[in-house]
Amino acid sequence: LVTLITRRWVFGDAMCFIQGMIGYIPVFCELLTLVIISAYRVFVLTKPFKAQNLGKKHGKIIMGIIWGFSVIFVVNAVFIMGQYTFFDPYILACNTSGLSAEPGQLPYTIVCVTLFGGLPVMLI
């Protein structure tokens, strides 16, 4: 509410970083979960007898891996894309600074688009 009224971020850089990460981690988790669900469905269709051996333990391990990868991708975004900043008062959220001339930004973007966009489409 304070950010909405004042049109600026008043909570400091640390809170901007935390809010930026909290905003992006669920997005990466959701996309990775869709990738895993698609891969699992392909596995069930191609190897139905092996798929019967997968249980709750495997599901918990896979969800832990998904959350781990999500945190890794979000933290890497800070190092590759720049720090989280508040630059648009109408979005009311901290984001990475966007496209710049950072050396690793293009490969990072290609990996993210391929992993989170292309892979589920190819599996489906």
Side-chain angles (χ1 to χ4, degrees):
L1 188 59
V2 174
T3 303
L4 181 64
I5 294 169
T6 62
R7 299 275 189 230
R8 62 186 182 89
W9 188 259
V10 296
F11 302 108
D13 291 338
M15 206 50 199
C16 188
F17 177 77
I18 292 169
Q19 189 272 334
M21 286 188 61
I22 289 173
Y24 282 116
I25 287 175
V27 173
F28 282 100
C29 281
E30 180 181 350
L31 293 171
L32 281 173
T33 302
L34 289 173
V35 169
I36 296 298
I37 289 171
S38 300
Y40 176 71
R41 297 312 304 159
V42 168
F43 184 67
V44 166
L45 291 172
T46 58
K47 301 183 191 274
F49 296 113
K50 288 186 179 180
Q52 290 177 350
N53 296 333
L54 299 177
K56 287 185 179 182
K57 181 180 176 184
H58 292 97
K60 290 178 182 178
I61 291 170
I62 290 171
M63 289 309 295
I65 291 169
I66 287 172
W67 277 92
F69 270 111
S70 298
V71 170
I72 289 169
F73 272 103
V74 170
V75 171
N76 279 339
V78 172
F79 295 114
I80 294 171
M81 307 278 259
Q83 67 181 9
Y84 289 103
T85 56
F86 181 76
F87 56 88
D88 189 353
Y90 297 103
I91 294 178
L92 301 177
C94 292
N95 295 306
T96 54
S97 57
L99 295 174
S100 66
E102 295 292 323
Q105 187 172 358
L106 183 61
Y108 176 78
T109 304
I110 290 170
V111 167
C112 285
V113 168
T114 302
L115 182 64
F116 300 120
L119 190 60
V121 171
M122 288 187 312
L123 289 173
I124 291 172

